[in-house]
Amino acid sequence: MDAMDISFLGGPRPQRGVGVVAPFDFALDRELWRWVPDEVSLHLTRTPFVPVEVSLDLARLVSEHETLGDGVRTLTAITPEVVAYACTSGSFVGGIAGERAMCEAMTRAGAVPSVTTSGALLEALAELGVRRVALVTPYTVSVTRALEDYVAEAGVMVTGCAFMGLTRHIWRVPYRDVADMARRAVRHAADALFISCTNLPTYDVIPQLEAELRIPVLSANQVTMWAALRRLGTRAVGPYQALIDPAARIYPSSTGGPVLPEVPDVPDVPEQEQQ
């Protein structure tokens, strides 16, 4: 019996690479992939382990230029077209100047464009015309205050904030807790909500919160992938997410800020996704 001719398959399609440097405790690789279109591959590497819980000290340790440079260099053999540092606190702990210096250090190490989560946040706020933002964080009060200072330095008013006070196992927080925190944060008028920390699951909760709160909802992993893929000239995959899906947002001329149109009902998050 003749072997089946599979030559018509032609091999795998060419992939464009996005390199991701993540902290050693990052646990949401699968979530990052959900924003990525089929023709793009993510190549993740991690910073070296340090025995420190989530804090400003840890944010400084995992964002040192030498550490970032080493991480980027581990990716150079597979030639990504852009590199992203996927950590919010690590990229806002040094303020706006610190974030810019981190991008410069990564670009020197890899000779490709670089983005960070906190830089991507400011880019997304500008894209949506956001002047007032509410914040949700899983952090302690000191790390949360540093995020508030970073956003304020960019000229965006923080209208409300809710934080969880966690120092570990942030990836285990269920969607229902994220949603509860979001409602607490948006007690005063805001143009958008930002959910901080790349280790906090958010993908499925974003459309539901946008439909409920009637404002764009941004998250750390979402803005990171959106900004990195934008450098490739391609769009992240995020149906009913206002930052990514143009059908999920309109721009009223009266205020200049974003307002969401009516959207179809979003199904409940599957129970297994909430665990």
Side-chain angles (χ1 to χ4, degrees), residues 176-262:
R176 65 179 72 87
D177 291 1
V178 176
D180 288 344
M181 298 293 287
R183 296 180 190 108
R184 284 175 50 194
V186 186
R187 287 177 176 165
H188 304 287
D191 298 325
L193 170 71
F194 174 61
I195 304 170
S196 191
C197 191
T198 54
N199 234 355
L200 188 65
T202 58
Y203 189 94
D204 296 293
V205 82
I206 290 172
Q208 297 200 61
L209 283 174
E210 289 187 334
E212 176 184 337
L213 301 175
R214 313 297 300 152
I215 55 174
V217 174
L218 309 175
S219 81
N221 284 329
Q222 179 207 46
V223 298
T224 305
M225 288 295 94
W226 168 79
L229 291 164
R230 201 182 199 199
R231 301 301 190 277
L232 302 188
T234 191
R235 181 177 291 165
V237 179
Y240 304 118
Q241 298 180 19
L243 177 65
I244 293 163
D245 183 354
R249 71 187 193 217
I250 57 174
Y251 294 85
S253 57
S254 57
T255 65
V259 171
L260 295 183
E262 293 295 329

Side-chain angles (χ1 to χ4, degrees), residues 26-266:
F26 180 72
L28 298 182
D29 305 53
R30 174 72 186 117
E31 174 164 287
L32 285 186
W33 275 96
R34 296 181 72 183
W35 275 288
V36 178
D38 287 346
E39 70 274 11
V40 175
S41 277
L42 294 184
H43 307 301
L44 277 89
T45 190
R46 280 166 171 76
T47 63
F49 172 79
V50 288
V52 179
E53 292 188 324
V54 176
S55 61
L56 288 175
D57 286 340
L58 180 63
R60 295 184 185 102
L61 284 170
V62 297
S63 61
E64 291 175 344
H65 290 190
E66 184 177 353
T67 300
L68 292 177
D70 288 346
V72 170
R73 280 185 287 272
T74 68
L75 299 166
T76 53
I78 46 180
T79 61
E81 294 180 52
V82 60
V83 291
Y85 177 57
C87 180
T88 326
S89 61
S91 51
F92 67 61
V93 69
I96 289 176
E99 190 278 332
R100 288 177 181 156
M102 290 172 67
C103 285
E104 290 168 4
M106 289 192 295
T107 292
R108 278 197 306 272
V112 290
S114 303
V115 299
T116 74
T117 301
S118 294
L121 165 62
L122 299 189
E123 194 176 322
L125 294 176
E127 172 76 7
L128 293 172
V130 173
R131 300 167 185 170
R132 302 169 301 171
V133 68
L135 303 175
V136 166
T137 90
Y139 311 132
T140 60
V141 63
S142 59
V143 183
T144 301
R145 294 291 173 260
L147 172 60
E148 291 180 324
D149 291 346
Y150 176 80
V151 171
E153 186 186 355
V156 178
M157 179 186 297
V158 176
T159 62
C161 184
F163 62 94
M164 301 178 191
L166 301 179
T167 59
R168 55 190 301 199
H169 297 158
I170 290 169
W171 64 90
R172 296 179 180 171
V173 174
Y175 281 148
R176 65 179 72 87
D177 291 1
V178 176
D180 288 344
M181 298 293 287
R183 296 180 190 108
R184 284 175 50 194
V186 186
R187 287 177 176 165
H188 304 287
D191 298 325
L193 170 71
F194 174 61
I195 304 170
S196 191
C197 191
T198 54
N199 234 355
L200 188 65
T202 58
Y203 189 94
D204 296 293
V205 82
I206 290 172
Q208 297 200 61
L209 283 174
E210 289 187 334
E212 176 184 337
L213 301 175
R214 313 297 300 152
I215 55 174
V217 174
L218 309 175
S219 81
N221 284 329
Q222 179 207 46
V223 298
T224 305
M225 288 295 94
W226 168 79
L229 291 164
R230 201 182 199 199
R231 301 301 190 277
L232 302 188
T234 191
R235 181 177 291 165
V237 179
Y240 304 118
Q241 298 180 19
L243 177 65
I244 293 163
D245 183 354
R249 71 187 193 217
I250 57 174
Y251 294 85
S253 57
S254 57
T255 65
V259 171
L260 295 183
E262 293 295 329
V263 297
D265 289 338
V266 180

